[in-house]
Amino acid sequence: MRPKIYLFGDSITEVSFADGGWGSSLANHFSRTADVVLRGYSGYNTRWALKVKENVLHPSESSRPPAVVIVFFGANDACLPDRSSAFQHVPLQEYKQNLHSIVDFIKKQWPSSRILLITPPPMDEAARLLHPFCDNPSGLPERTNEAAGNYAKACVTVASECGVVAVDLWTKMQQYPGWKKAYLVDGLHLTENGNKVVFEEVVARLKEQGISPETLPADHPLLSDIDAEDPIKSFENYYLNR
Amino acid sequence: MRPKIYLFGDSITEVSFADGGWGSSLANHFSRTADVVLRGYSGYNTRWALKVKENVLHPSESSRPPAVVIVFFGANDACLPDRSSAFQHVPLQEYKQNLHSIVDFIKKQWPSSRILLITPPPMDEAARLLHPFCDNPSGLPERTNEAAGNYAKACVTVASECGVVAVDLWTKMQQYPGWKKAYLVDGLHLTENGNKVVFEEVVARLKEQGISPETLPADHPLLSDIDAEDPIKSFENYYLNR
């Protein structure tokens, strides 16, 4: 039985198995050691995530607790309340409460699972105007980088309050001078390089917690461990030693 | 509960979540409708697959039968018995019997699951000599395209005998004149274009059997189905109508 790594998030998670995506990169990284379970829901904010969490993270979905649950919401909560995507907006204080509720729910259901929060990425407001999700005649972006930053800070605070790990993607990405073009395709979703930042941050945080292909048992003998003189013996030994 | 699609195969399956891989493309294709479960074992032939099948396809792994089990072995069975990878060789008749046993096992355990066999791809013998897996001073490739073709034909025959669907990758790929460079990186494993052939063939065969993102229920409301005037109502209706 391989451990599971859940990816619970919005569209940045839903599309994470596209070419070069952080989800498929994780699945490839753990190809013989863990199952990466995609639970990305485009457009969802934490208010909607709360509505579905019991089903998405249902005990029957996993016969033993997942090794890791990654929670990656906030980009939609951060839509401004008076702009074109207002229906996705969640006030900052409610976002914090909702994240707390999601973390508490996971902790209660699966006390042994590691939880990793990821903040929303930074936003490129000019690019958002070129790629509107809804009709947007206002000429004003539906998200601002400043607002996304407030949600990112709140996410880091919640992680600290809950004693879980956070990836501060908003801060991390902006440390690279050309972040807007390098990491974002439409001012919000990630380029292959942007996906690589998420992948590398997640891998590093998991490794710090002892979760890596080196520390997890491999699912059945690796080719390098199979005795070419007597391959079947290698399988018998594998089952004997489990 | 999303249905599962198992990918049970050798290294061509194990690496199928690398950039542009057929596994991650499938996971992306079914991102809201099915879970793609990676069970690729580098170097494995059908003899070794038989040794591990009860564990890899264990009932406890899936609380309901998977929608699909894809079985993709043969490239290692087809190693020649007197060349550098002889330890992976499985005689043609045994390969057929083993494939039969794997299909019978799946049918008995999960009668409702669709089974899809994929033949080994064609081999580029000159490229194999440039990318040997083991020491190979003989100057002869460990696999030939002709031998791979015999295993591919056997795989198609087994599928027909078992009443399941096959993707004849060996034949399909060679219909393209530049197949060696276009589809193979080392004469055996797949380029992004080669992965695309596998992905498109699998998607087409599954669609013929009624398995597609259009026919499977979406996991929770799609953004396009959420009422912007009253998003929470959309979730309440979703649960009412399940």
Side-chain angles (χ1 to χ4, degrees):
Chain A
M1 289 287 295
R2 298 188 192 198
K4 288 190 171 74
I5 299 172
Y6 272 82
L7 316 185
F8 184 34
D10 55 30
S11 57
I12 300 171
T13 302
E14 183 173 320
V15 301
S16 70
F17 280 69
D19 283 359
W22 68 277
S24 52
S25 298
L26 269 184
N28 187 48
H29 185 72
F30 289 103
S31 62
R32 281 293 281 276
T33 48
D35 286 335
V36 177
V37 182
L38 175 58
R39 291 293 180 268
Y41 301 89
S42 282
Y44 281 35
N45 53 35
T46 54
R47 192 186 288 165
W48 306 355
L50 270 188
K51 284 275 161 205
V52 305
K53 69 180 187 310
E54 283 87 358
N55 260 281
V56 171
L57 305 172
H58 197 276
S60 73
E61 289 276 336
S62 195
S63 56
R64 63 171 182 167
V68 181
V69 182
I70 296 176
V71 178
F72 189 176
F73 287 102
N76 297 314
D77 302 63
C79 288
L80 298 182
D82 55 354
R83 301 272 172 94
S84 61
S85 287
F87 76 106
Q88 293 169 287
H89 168 74
V90 171
L92 188 61
Q93 283 310 311
E94 185 190 336
Y95 169 71
K96 285 185 71 172
Q97 286 163 11
N98 291 346
L99 265 189
H100 262 289
S101 298
I102 293 169
V103 172
D104 289 348
F105 171 78
I106 299 166
K107 281 185 168 185
K108 201 167 168 185
Q109 174 153 301
W110 291 317
S112 65
S113 300
R114 315 283 177 138
I115 299 168
L116 183 63
L117 304 187
I118 307 180
T119 76
M123 304 288 148
D124 175 1
E125 296 162 25
R128 287 309 301 146
L129 284 173
L130 297 173
H131 302 276
F133 167 68
C134 328
D135 240 10
N136 185 13
S138 71
L140 297 168
E142 84 293 351
R143 292 166 172 88
T144 62
N145 193 38
E146 187 189 357
N150 292 334
Y151 286 74
K153 281 182 200 79
C155 176
V156 172
T157 302
V158 170
S160 166
E161 288 167 356
C162 296
V164 303
V165 173
V167 170
D168 184 355
L169 199 59
W170 189 83
T171 299
K172 177 80 194 174
M173 284 189 157
Q174 292 182 84
Q175 287 166 355
Y176 181 75
W179 63 271
K180 290 183 185 178
K181 288 265 180 301
Y183 296 149
L184 304 173
V185 274
D186 59 0
L188 165 63
H189 296 94
L190 309 177
T191 60
E192 287 205 18
N193 280 329
N195 272 287
K196 210 173 159 195
V197 174
V198 179
F199 167 68
E200 287 173 355
E201 286 292 311
V202 168
V203 164
R205 295 296 85 71
L206 295 183
K207 197 170 182 180
E208 286 165 6
Q209 298 187 67
I211 296 169
S212 74
E214 293 74 32
T215 55
L216 295 171
D219 172 6
H220 290 98
L222 299 173
L223 183 55
S224 52
D225 294 330
I226 293 175
D227 181 357
E229 300 297 321
D230 191 354
I232 294 300
K233 189 89 187 163
S234 304
F235 289 90
E236 290 165 356
N237 288 340
Y238 174 82
Y239 284 111
L240 275 176
N241 295 326
R242 267 152 55 100
Chain B
M1 289 288 296
R2 299 189 191 196
K4 288 191 171 72
I5 299 173
Y6 271 83
L7 316 185
F8 183 34
D10 56 29
S11 58
I12 300 171
T13 302
E14 183 173 322
V15 301
S16 70
F17 280 70
D19 283 359
W22 67 278
S24 52
S25 298
L26 269 184
N28 188 47
H29 185 72
F30 289 103
S31 62
R32 281 292 281 276
T33 48
D35 286 335
V36 177
V37 182
L38 175 58
R39 290 295 180 267
Y41 301 88
S42 283
Y44 280 36
N45 53 34
T46 54
R47 192 186 288 164
W48 305 356
L50 271 188
K51 284 276 161 202
V52 305
K53 69 180 188 311
E54 282 88 358
N55 260 281
V56 171
L57 306 172
H58 197 275
S60 72
E61 289 277 335
S62 195
S63 56
R64 64 172 181 168
V68 181
V69 183
I70 296 176
V71 179
F72 190 176
F73 287 102
N76 297 314
D77 302 64
C79 288
L80 298 181
D82 55 355
R83 301 271 173 94
S84 60
S85 286
F87 76 106
Q88 292 170 287
H89 168 75
V90 171
L92 189 61
Q93 283 310 313
E94 185 190 337
Y95 170 70
K96 284 185 72 173
Q97 287 162 10
N98 291 347
L99 266 189
H100 262 289
S101 299
I102 294 169
V103 172
D104 289 348
F105 171 79
I106 299 166
K107 281 185 166 183
K108 201 167 168 185
Q109 174 153 302
W110 291 317
S112 65
S113 300
R114 316 282 178 138
I115 300 168
L116 183 64
L117 303 188
I118 307 180
T119 77
M123 303 289 147
D124 175 1
E125 296 162 26
R128 289 308 302 147
L129 285 173
L130 297 174
H131 301 276
F133 168 69
C134 329
D135 241 10
N136 184 13
S138 71
L140 297 167
E142 85 293 351
R143 293 165 171 88
T144 63
N145 192 38
E146 187 189 356
N150 292 334
Y151 285 75
K153 282 183 199 78
C155 176
V156 172
T157 302
V158 170
S160 165
E161 288 167 356
C162 296
V164 303
V165 172
V167 169
D168 184 354
L169 198 60
W170 189 84
T171 299
K172 176 80 194 173
M173 284 190 156
Q174 291 182 84
Q175 287 166 356
Y176 181 75
W179 63 270
K180 289 182 185 178
K181 288 265 181 298
Y183 295 148
L184 304 172
V185 274
D186 58 1
L188 163 64
H189 296 94
L190 308 178
T191 60
E192 287 205 17
N193 280 328
N195 272 287
K196 210 173 161 195
V197 174
V198 179
F199 167 68
E200 287 173 355
E201 286 291 312
V202 168
V203 164
R205 296 297 84 72
L206 294 184
K207 197 171 182 180
E208 286 166 6
Q209 298 187 68
I211 296 170
S212 74
E214 293 74 33
T215 54
L216 295 172
D219 171 5
H220 291 96
L222 299 174
L223 183 56
S224 52
D225 295 330
I226 293 175
D227 180 358
E229 300 298 321
D230 191 355
I232 294 300
K233 188 93 187 161
S234 304
F235 289 91
E236 290 166 358
N237 288 340
Y238 174 82
Y239 283 111
L240 274 176
N241 295 326
R242 265 151 56 99

